Amino acid sequence: MRRASSSWLLCVLMLVTSAASAASELRGTWNASAHPKSPDQLHLNLSHPEDAQKGRGHMGFSEARAAFQGLPTGDGPATFTLPREAGTFAFTGSFQDGEGAGHYRFTPSDSYIKTMASLGYASLTPNQQFQLAATNVTTQRIKDLGALGYKNIPVEKLLMVGIFDITPEYVKELSKLGYEKLDLDQLVQGRIHGVTPQRVKELADAGYAKLAWDDLISMNIHGVTPAFVKEMKELGFKDLGPSKVVALRIHGVSEDFARQMRELGFQDVAADKLVAFRIHGVTPDFVKEMRELGFKDLDADDFVAFRIHGVKPAFVKEMRELGFPKLTSDELVNFRIHGVTSDFVKKLRDAGYTNITPEELVRLRIHGIDETFMRAMSKGDKGKGGK
């Protein structure tokens, strides 16, 4: 879309090159509404019947109202145009309550065709010209990008240049910041994920200078903002590399979460431990519940082990009700690893084995011995004069 500041095209569109049309004009229907975040922009949806029959004739983009000629400001009939170098869109219809609909026709520009042919694009179809007009790919932009080394760009990628506003200025500013020789796909990535020169400078000021391009993209994808970096540094995490700070964001390690854990005594816990807490569900409430059950001196790894193996407060309480009031954290984890459940304990006791220790319970499970086997052994012993 065109941002309010630069009037650039933000397309939410499906663009597919189709066969050339026999007609010099392309016609279709349109509907429009005010852009939800930028009142000075109009969001347009266009369809054209030739491609609509094939299920691909819809495209949408937002454009600054100032770019239109004759665009009405109120309700009622509407006749206006959107002039581009590649051709002109002429709209008829009406507006009501800020929304409009009607028909349009696109008239390709002969001079654009000639200039494009001189630049190496001698076989443009009317539909491609329509798309280049919608994305506002001018011949001057193609020349300027060519001068920067981006020569012989395929038509399909020219459309991406327009959609994502790959301008010579954007290329030059990134180059000054150390990002030279980026290919077109990388530049598109940068635009998609909001890598602006301003963001690059802000992250450099926050301690992330000269990032690899992939790291810069990743940080923007996952919302590593300068503000987030500042929060983490204030909590004592001063030497986080790009991958670690991204991991904090991916797994939801917020300033609030980190502070709560610090208040619970995890003063010097490393960033990767906080990530492990989030991955395995070690929440402040979980820590508090387990400490209320007497586990007051456990470290970060112990709490992670509890969550990995399913040692929950309910499980601890079940075992205590069965007569194991002093199980250690290691014993509880071993119970869960080897399948010592409350049901297993009850069945063994029903079979007459009431004084089995935690270690013996684990050994029985390791060797696959259950209450059925124990009952059979008891009967065998009795038949031989034994137990």
Side-chain angles (χ1 to χ4, degrees):
M1 109 185 24
R2 287 188 180 271
R3 292 181 178 173
S5 59
S6 61
S7 192
W8 69 291
L9 189 63
L10 171 62
C11 281
V12 185
L13 81 117
M14 296 168 60
L15 289 174
V16 181
T17 302
S18 66
S21 169
S24 61
E25 292 183 344
L26 292 177
R27 298 172 179 267
T29 59
W30 64 272
N31 62 72
S33 59
H35 192 280
K37 296 183 179 179
S38 302
D40 61 342
Q41 293 188 356
L42 187 70
H43 184 75
L44 277 167
N45 291 299
L46 306 181
S47 66
H48 47 102
E50 294 174 2
D51 273 2
Q53 292 173 359
K54 303 172 186 177
R56 61 190 187 194
H58 300 275
M59 60 182 294
F61 59 92
S62 292
E63 185 61 84
R65 291 178 182 270
F68 296 92
Q69 294 180 357
L71 181 67
T73 57
D75 293 344
T79 301
F80 58 99
T81 61
L82 178 60
R84 303 286 208 200
E85 184 190 358
T88 300
F89 295 91
F91 300 89
T92 59
S94 63
F95 280 89
Q96 184 173 350
D97 298 328
E99 297 185 351
H103 293 81
Y104 74 88
R105 71 178 187 278
F106 172 71
T107 304
S109 165
D110 291 337
S111 62
Y112 184 81
I113 281 285
K114 292 176 183 177
T115 307
M116 287 293 283
S118 72
L119 294 173
Y121 302 93
S123 304
L124 287 181
T125 68
N127 195 50
Q128 286 174 327
Q129 195 166 347
F130 167 88
Q131 293 169 342
L132 290 168
T135 54
N136 200 23
V137 177
T138 65
T139 55
Q140 187 60 52
R141 189 188 300 200
I142 296 171
K143 293 175 185 177
D144 291 343
L145 288 172
L148 293 171
Y150 300 91
K151 301 179 183 295
N152 304 316
I153 302 172
V155 174
E156 293 77 11
K157 291 198 173 183
L158 280 181
L159 299 177
M160 305 303 284
V161 164
I163 293 167
F164 298 107
D165 196 33
I166 307 303
T167 64
E169 292 74 24
Y170 181 65
V171 176
K172 290 175 184 176
E173 289 175 358
L174 288 176
S175 181
K176 289 177 184 177
L177 293 168
Y179 298 98
E180 302 173 347
K181 299 181 180 179
L182 295 173
D183 63 35
L184 206 53
D185 289 337
Q186 289 174 312
L187 291 168
V188 168
Q189 266 191 327
R191 280 302 203 188
I192 289 172
H193 300 298
V195 178
T196 64
Q198 182 63 30
R199 174 54 64 85
V200 175
K201 293 174 185 176
E202 290 172 348
L203 287 172
D205 291 341
Y208 293 94
K210 299 181 180 179
L211 287 167
W213 183 253
D214 287 345
D215 287 332
L216 189 55
I217 293 292
S218 181
M219 289 173 79
N220 275 269
I221 287 173
H222 297 293
V224 178
T225 64
F228 178 74
V229 173
K230 181 181 177 182
E231 289 174 357
M232 292 299 108
K233 284 188 174 182
E234 288 174 350
L235 288 169
F237 302 109
K238 299 186 183 298
D239 299 314
L240 294 173
S243 60
K244 285 191 176 182
V245 76
V246 166
L248 290 174
R249 289 294 292 173
I250 288 174
H251 298 292
V253 179
S254 64
E255 179 187 19
D256 182 59
F257 178 79
R259 287 189 187 282
Q260 288 187 63
M261 286 303 181
R262 293 250 167 123
E263 290 169 1
L264 288 170
F266 299 101
Q267 296 293 335
D268 300 318
V269 67
D272 57 354
K273 293 298 182 185
L274 288 176
V275 169
F277 279 0
R278 295 295 292 175
I279 289 172
H280 299 293
V282 178
T283 64
D285 285 343
F286 177 74
V287 173
K288 291 174 186 176
E289 287 180 293
M290 297 307 289
R291 284 180 175 173
E292 288 172 359
L293 290 170
F295 300 98
K296 299 182 182 297
D297 300 320
L298 300 184
D299 61 19
D301 290 335
D302 291 325
F303 281 105
V304 169
F306 272 177
R307 293 298 295 176
I308 288 173
H309 299 292
V311 178
K312 300 178 181 180
F315 180 71
V316 177
K317 292 175 183 177
E318 286 178 1
M319 288 302 163
R320 287 182 176 179
E321 289 171 0
L322 288 170
F324 300 105
K326 296 182 180 180
L327 288 173
T328 66
S329 60
D330 288 340
E331 287 173 330
L332 285 164
V333 168
N334 277 332
F335 273 16
R336 295 297 294 172
I337 289 173
H338 298 292
V340 177
T341 65
S342 58
D343 185 59
F344 177 70
V345 175
K346 289 175 184 177
K347 287 179 177 179
L348 284 176
R349 287 182 174 173
D350 289 342
Y353 296 88
T354 58
N355 296 314
I356 297 180
T357 67
E359 293 77 9
E360 290 170 334
L361 286 168
V362 169
R363 283 200 296 271
L364 290 175
R365 293 299 290 167
I366 288 173
H367 296 291
I369 298 173
D370 59 14
E371 76 284 354
T372 302
F373 180 84
M374 297 295 280
R375 287 180 189 276
M377 289 297 294
S378 294
K379 290 178 180 179
D381 288 342
K382 289 177 181 178
K384 296 176 182 178
K387 184 177 176 181

